[in-house]
Amino acid sequence: MHVLTLEKLAKDGLLAGKRVLIRSDLNAPHDENGRITNETRLVASVPAIRTALDAGAAVMVMSHLGRPTEGTVTPADSLAGVARRMGELLGCDMPLVADWVDGVKVGPGHVVMLENCRCNVGEKKCNDELSKKYAALCDVYVNDAFGTAHRAQASTVGVARYADVACAGPLMAAEIDALTKSVEEARHPLAAIVGGSKVSTKLTILSNLAEKVDRLIVGGGILNTFLLAAGKPIGKSLAEPELVDECRKVLAVLAAKGASLPMPVDVVVAKAFSADAEHRVADVDDVAEDEMILDVGPKTAAILANILKSAGTIVWNGPVGVFEMAPYAEGTRVMADAIAEATDKGAFSIAGGGDTVSAVHQFGIADRVSYISTGGGAFLEFLEGKKLPAVAVLEERAAQ
């Protein structure tokens, strides 16, 4: 994937005095009192803004917050609190501008926050007239919001079509580079881990990855359905029996290309979904009718770890057990350590998805993973093999 980058424009001295419109993803969670509870997205958005400011540009930052009703801005929809915090992170004033669609006043070396773009009528449907108005605000449009890259909206796709210059910010550029390395230009063996409670939510991902990977590791409720497909007893484990045939199709695709999905030889089971429930390690053929599978067993974890340690590329989306509960966290911990070890030895690893990122931090390997994706839905749609609209339009503009 090739796109023009903000970094190159700044390096070439093409931003000084220019009006730069940056689409950031500042959709940070808030508590009932309106306080920001997680600043990850805010901190990740600072480099793009700082790059434009340092280059002497007049900077406008737009973002969405929540799911507002178009045409109205309630206090809960406002980016006022985000603007204050971003100003603190940048070390400068960052005024919030309302009713900005028809014009914004900001001078070179200064930055303003534009009120919630999803409150603008036509934003979500990528209205052409609105997109042109966005483009008229700027000389350079920058998309630095990978978390919204799967949405074809006026602030992510429409404006990029009409702006004089359209480029990727540092966060977007890093995501594009990492995703390209993870699948399209992957070093083999390529191993992918897909966890989750339901096959139905990850079936497209599984089918797409089966065409590309050398080893496909599955965990959670997804594994239970694959165990059913293999004729194994799963007791009262969470599973989707109606998707057994789909699982067999995935297995057939892997087999046809000499790839594999390693089945567990042992599992951790309990009679209740609880950290306090009595649990045991069982042979995969010895799961009782009143037991549920909540993690892979130690023998299986060791097998998976060896697979990961020998991989050239690792794509991780989902734990292999209920890692939030100590008795069922060991499989994911062993796997996390193996990913870190493989990365230390030169493998490229990428982790994405809420539970996966939580596991990365829980097991202390954040600095030993090549890249941690910031985009939940966008990351998943990429793994499904879908073209991300916001990335596609940047590629198109770069090719012009």
Side-chain angles (χ1 to χ4, degrees):
M1 293 183 276
H2 174 70
V3 299
L4 180 64
T5 67
L6 179 66
E7 182 182 25
K8 177 169 174 50
L9 292 175
K11 184 178 180 180
D12 292 345
L14 299 177
L15 297 179
K18 300 293 185 181
R19 299 170 301 154
V20 174
L21 177 61
I22 301 176
R23 175 47 160 113
S24 299
D25 182 4
L26 306 175
N27 186 32
H30 291 66
D31 64 18
E32 62 276 6
N33 297 314
R35 288 189 293 264
I36 298 169
T37 57
N38 187 326
E39 296 187 343
T40 301
R41 289 175 176 170
L42 276 62
V43 173
S45 299
V46 167
I49 302 169
R50 177 48 59 197
T51 296
L53 284 173
D54 290 347
V59 184
M60 298 159 280
V61 178
M62 64 175 169
S63 175
H64 72 286
L65 180 66
R67 298 181 178 180
T69 300
E70 289 188 356
T72 63
V73 184
T74 70
D77 302 326
S78 178
L79 284 165
V82 172
R84 284 193 297 272
R85 183 58 184 141
M86 286 299 294
E88 292 170 354
L89 292 171
L90 288 163
C92 63
D93 290 335
M94 193 175 198
L96 179 69
V97 179
D99 302 320
W100 50 270
V101 172
D102 292 312
V104 178
K105 291 183 179 180
V106 57
H110 295 275
V111 59
V112 296
M113 175 76 72
L114 308 182
E115 187 58 279
N116 196 334
C117 63
R118 281 198 187 157
C119 293
N120 297 332
V121 176
E123 162 66 19
K124 287 184 283 189
K125 291 187 177 180
C126 200
N127 177 268
D128 212 43
E129 182 181 354
L130 181 64
S131 299
K132 289 178 180 178
K133 286 188 174 184
Y134 287 171
L137 296 174
C138 65
D139 303 303
V140 177
Y141 165 74
V142 183
N143 193 332
D144 203 40
F146 178 76
T148 66
H150 58 310
R151 304 194 184 282
Q153 299 181 341
S155 66
T156 61
V157 172
V159 60
R161 293 193 184 114
Y162 298 112
D164 290 343
V165 177
C167 68
L171 179 59
M172 175 70 84
E175 291 275 359
I176 291 172
D177 182 58
L179 293 175
T180 301
K181 288 179 180 177
S182 68
V183 177
E184 294 179 9
E185 297 176 2
R187 288 176 297 184
H188 289 260
L190 167 56
I193 307 106
V194 180
S197 59
K198 294 183 178 181
V199 170
S200 55
T201 62
K202 300 282 182 79
L203 183 57
T204 309
I205 294 174
L206 292 165
S207 299
N208 181 56
L209 289 177
E211 300 277 0
K212 298 176 171 62
V213 303
D214 303 295
R215 298 289 183 269
L216 180 58
I217 296 169
V218 296
I222 292 174
L223 172 60
N224 298 335
T225 305
F226 274 92
L227 286 172
L228 274 183
K232 302 294 184 180
I234 65 166
K236 59 178 183 178
S237 304
L238 175 67
E240 294 174 288
E242 69 277 11
L243 291 178
V244 161
D245 286 344
E246 296 298 330
C247 291
R248 287 175 178 152
K249 290 178 183 178
V250 170
L251 292 171
V253 170
L254 289 166
K257 61 193 286 288
S260 67
L261 188 153
M263 287 291 181
V265 294
D266 59 347
V267 290
V268 180
V269 298
K271 294 184 179 181
F273 188 79
S274 168
D276 298 325
E278 185 177 345
H279 58 278
R280 71 183 182 99
V281 175
D283 184 272
V284 73
D285 293 309
D286 187 35
V287 178
E289 290 184 1
D290 62 347
E291 292 179 323
M292 61 181 72
I293 299 169
L294 298 177
D295 193 13
V296 297
K299 293 179 182 177
T300 300
I303 292 170
L304 299 181
N306 285 333
I307 290 171
L308 294 170
K309 288 175 184 177
S310 64
T313 304
I314 302 168
V315 179
W316 185 13
N317 175 240
V320 294
V322 187
F323 74 98
E324 302 90 342
M325 299 181 187
Y328 320 117
E330 189 64 8
T332 303
R333 186 197 65 76
V334 170
M335 191 176 68
D337 286 346
I339 292 170
E341 184 176 329
T343 307
D344 291 344
K345 293 179 178 179
F348 179 82
S349 58
I350 181 170
D355 286 344
T356 311
V357 175
S358 294
V360 164
H361 290 291
Q362 179 172 319
F363 299 117
I365 64 163
D367 60 346
R368 298 173 66 198
V369 175
S370 303
Y371 195 80
I372 299 174
S373 178
T374 61
F379 180 73
L380 294 180
E381 290 204 10
F382 175 83
L383 295 185
E384 289 175 359
K386 295 179 179 177
K387 195 75 171 177
L388 302 178
V391 175
V393 71
L394 292 179
E395 288 183 288
E396 291 168 11
R397 292 302 309 272
Q400 291 176 354

Tab-separated table of all heavy atoms in Angstrom, residues 193 316-324 328-329 331-337 339-340 351-367 369 372:
chain	number	residue	atom	x	y	z
A	193	ILE	N	-3.291	-15.974	15.083
A	193	ILE	CA	-4.092	-16.423	16.222
A	193	ILE	C	-5.412	-15.677	16.189
A	193	ILE	O	-5.430	-14.444	16.157
A	193	ILE	CB	-3.399	-16.141	17.573
A	193	ILE	CG1	-1.987	-16.719	17.596
A	193	ILE	CG2	-4.220	-16.694	18.713
A	193	ILE	CD1	-0.910	-15.658	17.484
A	316	TRP	N	-1.965	-11.445	15.687
A	316	TRP	CA	-2.665	-11.880	16.905
A	316	TRP	C	-3.956	-11.092	17.106
A	316	TRP	O	-3.933	-9.897	17.291
A	316	TRP	CB	-1.742	-11.702	18.114
A	316	TRP	CG	-2.310	-12.228	19.402
A	316	TRP	CD1	-3.402	-13.045	19.566
A	316	TRP	CD2	-1.811	-11.984	20.728
A	316	TRP	NE1	-3.614	-13.328	20.897
A	316	TRP	CE2	-2.651	-12.686	21.626
A	316	TRP	CE3	-0.745	-11.250	21.234
A	316	TRP	CZ2	-2.454	-12.659	23.004
A	316	TRP	CZ3	-0.540	-11.222	22.598
A	316	TRP	CH2	-1.384	-11.922	23.475
A	317	ASN	N	-5.072	-11.812	17.081
A	317	ASN	CA	-6.371	-11.194	17.347
A	317	ASN	C	-7.206	-12.136	18.220
A	317	ASN	O	-7.937	-12.980	17.722
A	317	ASN	CB	-7.110	-10.880	16.045
A	317	ASN	CG	-8.507	-10.350	16.279
A	317	ASN	OD1	-9.482	-10.941	15.836
A	317	ASN	ND2	-8.628	-9.246	17.005
A	318	GLY	N	-7.037	-12.018	19.513
A	318	GLY	CA	-7.856	-12.783	20.443
A	318	GLY	C	-7.076	-13.758	21.293
A	318	GLY	O	-6.139	-14.405	20.810
A	319	PRO	N	-7.432	-13.875	22.580
A	319	PRO	CA	-6.778	-14.821	23.493
A	319	PRO	C	-7.243	-16.247	23.233
A	319	PRO	O	-8.239	-16.477	22.534
A	319	PRO	CB	-7.239	-14.336	24.869
A	319	PRO	CG	-8.587	-13.738	24.607
A	319	PRO	CD	-8.490	-13.099	23.248
A	320	VAL	N	-6.531	-17.219	23.807
A	320	VAL	CA	-6.925	-18.625	23.634
A	320	VAL	C	-7.728	-19.149	24.816
A	320	VAL	O	-8.218	-20.277	24.787
A	320	VAL	CB	-5.700	-19.533	23.393
A	320	VAL	CG1	-5.048	-19.203	22.063
A	320	VAL	CG2	-4.704	-19.429	24.543
A	321	GLY	N	-7.871	-18.343	25.857
A	321	GLY	CA	-8.652	-18.744	27.030
A	321	GLY	C	-9.254	-17.530	27.698
A	321	GLY	O	-9.088	-16.395	27.244
A	322	VAL	N	-9.961	-17.777	28.795
A	322	VAL	CA	-10.578	-16.682	29.550
A	322	VAL	C	-9.492	-16.067	30.426
A	322	VAL	O	-9.436	-16.290	31.645
A	322	VAL	CB	-11.761	-17.201	30.393
A	322	VAL	CG1	-12.515	-16.035	31.037
A	322	VAL	CG2	-12.716	-18.022	29.535
A	323	PHE	N	-8.624	-15.284	29.796
A	323	PHE	CA	-7.401	-14.826	30.472
A	323	PHE	C	-7.681	-13.849	31.610
A	323	PHE	O	-6.817	-13.601	32.453
A	323	PHE	CB	-6.440	-14.197	29.462
A	323	PHE	CG	-6.866	-12.833	28.976
A	323	PHE	CD1	-6.323	-11.689	29.533
A	323	PHE	CD2	-7.817	-12.702	27.973
A	323	PHE	CE1	-6.710	-10.428	29.101
A	323	PHE	CE2	-8.212	-11.450	27.531
A	323	PHE	CZ	-7.656	-10.314	28.103
A	324	GLU	N	-8.885	-13.271	31.635
A	324	GLU	CA	-9.218	-12.353	32.723
A	324	GLU	C	-9.326	-13.066	34.067
A	324	GLU	O	-9.258	-12.421	35.124
A	324	GLU	CB	-10.533	-11.619	32.422
A	324	GLU	CG	-10.549	-10.821	31.130
A	324	GLU	CD	-11.025	-11.621	29.930
A	324	GLU	OE1	-11.026	-12.881	30.009
A	324	GLU	OE2	-11.381	-11.014	28.918
A	328	TYR	N	-7.537	-19.561	34.139
A	328	TYR	CA	-7.660	-19.841	32.706
A	328	TYR	C	-6.831	-18.872	31.860
A	328	TYR	O	-7.099	-18.646	30.679
A	328	TYR	CB	-9.138	-19.762	32.294
A	328	TYR	CG	-10.061	-20.357	33.325
A	328	TYR	CD1	-11.010	-19.565	33.985
A	328	TYR	CD2	-9.962	-21.696	33.693
A	328	TYR	CE1	-11.831	-20.101	34.962
A	328	TYR	CE2	-10.788	-22.242	34.675
A	328	TYR	CZ	-11.717	-21.430	35.307
A	328	TYR	OH	-12.536	-21.959	36.281
A	329	ALA	N	-5.795	-18.310	32.482
A	329	ALA	CA	-4.957	-17.322	31.797
A	329	ALA	C	-3.648	-17.901	31.276
A	329	ALA	O	-2.967	-17.270	30.463
A	329	ALA	CB	-4.656	-16.157	32.742
A	331	GLY	N	-2.696	-20.332	29.237
A	331	GLY	CA	-2.505	-20.568	27.809
A	331	GLY	C	-2.167	-19.292	27.064
A	331	GLY	O	-1.235	-19.254	26.254
A	332	THR	N	-2.903	-18.230	27.355
A	332	THR	CA	-2.645	-16.944	26.697
A	332	THR	C	-1.310	-16.369	27.145
A	332	THR	O	-0.574	-15.777	26.339
A	332	THR	CB	-3.788	-15.962	26.989
A	332	THR	OG1	-5.033	-16.537	26.558
A	332	THR	CG2	-3.580	-14.639	26.264
A	333	ARG	N	-0.956	-16.555	28.417
A	333	ARG	CA	0.330	-16.052	28.910
A	333	ARG	C	1.489	-16.739	28.201
A	333	ARG	O	2.444	-16.075	27.762
A	333	ARG	CB	0.465	-16.264	30.418
A	333	ARG	CG	1.737	-15.631	30.996
A	333	ARG	CD	2.088	-16.182	32.363
A	333	ARG	NE	2.433	-17.599	32.328
A	333	ARG	CZ	3.596	-18.072	31.889
A	333	ARG	NH1	4.526	-17.255	31.433
A	333	ARG	NH2	3.822	-19.378	31.892
A	334	VAL	N	1.428	-18.057	28.088
A	334	VAL	CA	2.497	-18.808	27.409
A	334	VAL	C	2.602	-18.363	25.953
A	334	VAL	O	3.705	-18.187	25.415
A	334	VAL	CB	2.228	-20.322	27.508
A	334	VAL	CG1	3.189	-21.101	26.614
A	334	VAL	CG2	2.355	-20.794	28.956
A	335	MET	N	1.458	-18.174	25.320
A	335	MET	CA	1.445	-17.733	23.935
A	335	MET	C	2.034	-16.325	23.805
A	335	MET	O	2.813	-16.035	22.888
A	335	MET	CB	0.014	-17.754	23.400
A	335	MET	CG	-0.085	-17.564	21.901
A	335	MET	SD	-1.786	-17.726	21.335
A	335	MET	CE	-2.496	-16.252	22.070
A	336	ALA	N	1.677	-15.433	24.739
A	336	ALA	CA	2.212	-14.067	24.716
A	336	ALA	C	3.733	-14.075	24.858
A	336	ALA	O	4.445	-13.356	24.132
A	336	ALA	CB	1.576	-13.244	25.832
A	337	ASP	N	4.232	-14.879	25.773
A	337	ASP	CA	5.682	-14.975	25.958
A	337	ASP	C	6.372	-15.489	24.697
A	337	ASP	O	7.468	-15.028	24.333
A	337	ASP	CB	6.003	-15.897	27.133
A	337	ASP	CG	5.704	-15.261	28.488
A	337	ASP	OD1	5.513	-14.033	28.530
A	337	ASP	OD2	5.660	-16.006	29.491
A	339	ILE	N	5.284	-15.144	21.589
A	339	ILE	CA	5.240	-14.073	20.585
A	339	ILE	C	6.354	-13.074	20.853
A	339	ILE	O	7.054	-12.629	19.936
A	339	ILE	CB	3.861	-13.374	20.602
A	339	ILE	CG1	2.781	-14.344	20.091
A	339	ILE	CG2	3.885	-12.105	19.758
A	339	ILE	CD1	1.366	-13.847	20.280
A	340	ALA	N	6.524	-12.724	22.125
A	340	ALA	CA	7.588	-11.788	22.496
A	340	ALA	C	8.963	-12.355	22.154
A	340	ALA	O	9.834	-11.648	21.630
A	340	ALA	CB	7.502	-11.470	23.988
A	351	ALA	N	-0.467	-7.060	16.966
A	351	ALA	CA	-1.587	-7.426	17.834
A	351	ALA	C	-2.672	-6.382	17.690
A	351	ALA	O	-2.399	-5.183	17.633
A	351	ALA	CB	-1.124	-7.518	19.293
A	352	GLY	N	-3.925	-6.819	17.635
A	352	GLY	CA	-5.030	-5.876	17.498
A	352	GLY	C	-6.313	-6.432	18.059
A	352	GLY	O	-6.517	-7.643	18.130
A	353	GLY	N	-7.200	-5.527	18.466
A	353	GLY	CA	-8.457	-5.914	19.088
A	353	GLY	C	-8.392	-5.664	20.585
A	353	GLY	O	-7.333	-5.820	21.201
A	354	GLY	N	-9.527	-5.263	21.162
A	354	GLY	CA	-9.545	-4.869	22.566
A	354	GLY	C	-9.011	-5.902	23.536
A	354	GLY	O	-8.147	-5.602	24.377
A	355	ASP	N	-9.508	-7.143	23.449
A	355	ASP	CA	-9.053	-8.183	24.372
A	355	ASP	C	-7.573	-8.495	24.171
A	355	ASP	O	-6.844	-8.760	25.134
A	355	ASP	CB	-9.873	-9.467	24.172
A	355	ASP	CG	-11.278	-9.346	24.752
A	355	ASP	OD1	-11.503	-8.417	25.543
A	355	ASP	OD2	-12.134	-10.170	24.403
A	356	THR	N	-7.143	-8.473	22.926
A	356	THR	CA	-5.746	-8.781	22.630
A	356	THR	C	-4.817	-7.731	23.222
A	356	THR	O	-3.796	-8.058	23.846
A	356	THR	CB	-5.525	-8.867	21.112
A	356	THR	OG1	-6.527	-9.696	20.538
A	356	THR	CG2	-4.151	-9.424	20.792
A	357	VAL	N	-5.168	-6.470	23.036
A	357	VAL	CA	-4.342	-5.393	23.588
A	357	VAL	C	-4.325	-5.472	25.114
A	357	VAL	O	-3.289	-5.252	25.748
A	357	VAL	CB	-4.851	-4.022	23.102
A	357	VAL	CG1	-4.067	-2.893	23.772
A	357	VAL	CG2	-4.729	-3.916	21.582
A	358	SER	N	-5.463	-5.822	25.703
A	358	SER	CA	-5.508	-5.995	27.164
A	358	SER	C	-4.565	-7.106	27.605
A	358	SER	O	-3.845	-6.972	28.605
A	358	SER	CB	-6.938	-6.321	27.618
A	358	SER	OG	-7.802	-5.235	27.381
A	359	ALA	N	-4.562	-8.211	26.851
A	359	ALA	CA	-3.667	-9.333	27.184
A	359	ALA	C	-2.206	-8.930	27.030
A	359	ALA	O	-1.355	-9.298	27.850
A	359	ALA	CB	-3.990	-10.533	26.293
A	360	VAL	N	-1.902	-8.169	25.986
A	360	VAL	CA	-0.530	-7.696	25.769
A	360	VAL	C	-0.034	-6.939	26.991
A	360	VAL	O	1.094	-7.147	27.474
A	360	VAL	CB	-0.466	-6.798	24.509
A	360	VAL	CG1	0.838	-5.996	24.485
A	360	VAL	CG2	-0.583	-7.636	23.253
A	361	HIS	N	-0.877	-6.067	27.510
A	361	HIS	CA	-0.474	-5.272	28.675
A	361	HIS	C	-0.497	-6.096	29.962
A	361	HIS	O	0.368	-5.937	30.825
A	361	HIS	CB	-1.373	-4.046	28.802
A	361	HIS	CG	-1.150	-3.031	27.715
A	361	HIS	ND1	-0.001	-2.288	27.629
A	361	HIS	CD2	-1.911	-2.679	26.649
A	361	HIS	CE1	-0.059	-1.493	26.568
A	361	HIS	NE2	-1.219	-1.708	25.955
A	362	GLN	N	-1.488	-6.981	30.079
A	362	GLN	CA	-1.565	-7.809	31.287
A	362	GLN	C	-0.326	-8.670	31.458
A	362	GLN	O	0.170	-8.845	32.588
A	362	GLN	CB	-2.810	-8.708	31.227
A	362	GLN	CG	-2.951	-9.636	32.435
A	362	GLN	CD	-4.282	-10.375	32.434
A	362	GLN	OE1	-5.314	-9.816	32.117
A	362	GLN	NE2	-4.262	-11.661	32.779
A	363	PHE	N	0.204	-9.180	30.356
A	363	PHE	CA	1.355	-10.073	30.436
A	363	PHE	C	2.677	-9.353	30.169
A	363	PHE	O	3.725	-9.990	30.027
A	363	PHE	CB	1.166	-11.256	29.485
A	363	PHE	CG	-0.051	-12.083	29.826
A	363	PHE	CD1	-1.107	-12.190	28.946
A	363	PHE	CD2	-0.152	-12.708	31.064
A	363	PHE	CE1	-2.244	-12.933	29.275
A	363	PHE	CE2	-1.283	-13.444	31.401
A	363	PHE	CZ	-2.329	-13.556	30.505
A	364	GLY	N	2.630	-8.031	30.108
A	364	GLY	CA	3.845	-7.230	30.086
A	364	GLY	C	4.728	-7.360	28.866
A	364	GLY	O	5.951	-7.284	28.980
A	365	ILE	N	4.119	-7.526	27.679
A	365	ILE	CA	4.951	-7.688	26.486
A	365	ILE	C	4.769	-6.552	25.479
A	365	ILE	O	5.173	-6.671	24.319
A	365	ILE	CB	4.674	-9.037	25.781
A	365	ILE	CG1	3.240	-9.088	25.251
A	365	ILE	CG2	4.957	-10.204	26.710
A	365	ILE	CD1	3.022	-10.178	24.218
A	366	ALA	N	4.168	-5.440	25.913
A	366	ALA	CA	3.869	-4.341	24.984
A	366	ALA	C	5.104	-3.850	24.237
A	366	ALA	O	5.022	-3.492	23.056
A	366	ALA	CB	3.208	-3.186	25.729
A	367	ASP	N	6.249	-3.836	24.902
A	367	ASP	CA	7.471	-3.360	24.253
A	367	ASP	C	8.201	-4.462	23.500
A	367	ASP	O	9.293	-4.245	22.968
A	367	ASP	CB	8.403	-2.719	25.283
A	367	ASP	CG	8.830	-3.682	26.382
A	367	ASP	OD1	8.212	-4.760	26.506
A	367	ASP	OD2	9.778	-3.359	27.127
A	369	VAL	N	6.334	-6.453	21.185
A	369	VAL	CA	5.483	-6.740	20.030
A	369	VAL	C	5.814	-5.681	18.991
A	369	VAL	O	5.954	-4.501	19.314
A	369	VAL	CB	3.989	-6.677	20.407
A	369	VAL	CG1	3.107	-6.849	19.172
A	369	VAL	CG2	3.651	-7.749	21.437
A	372	ILE	N	1.272	-2.627	17.809
A	372	ILE	CA	-0.032	-2.809	18.435
A	372	ILE	C	-1.004	-1.894	17.709
A	372	ILE	O	-0.878	-0.673	17.750
A	372	ILE	CB	0.010	-2.472	19.937
A	372	ILE	CG1	0.996	-3.403	20.648
A	372	ILE	CG2	-1.381	-2.607	20.559
A	372	ILE	CD1	1.214	-3.061	22.117
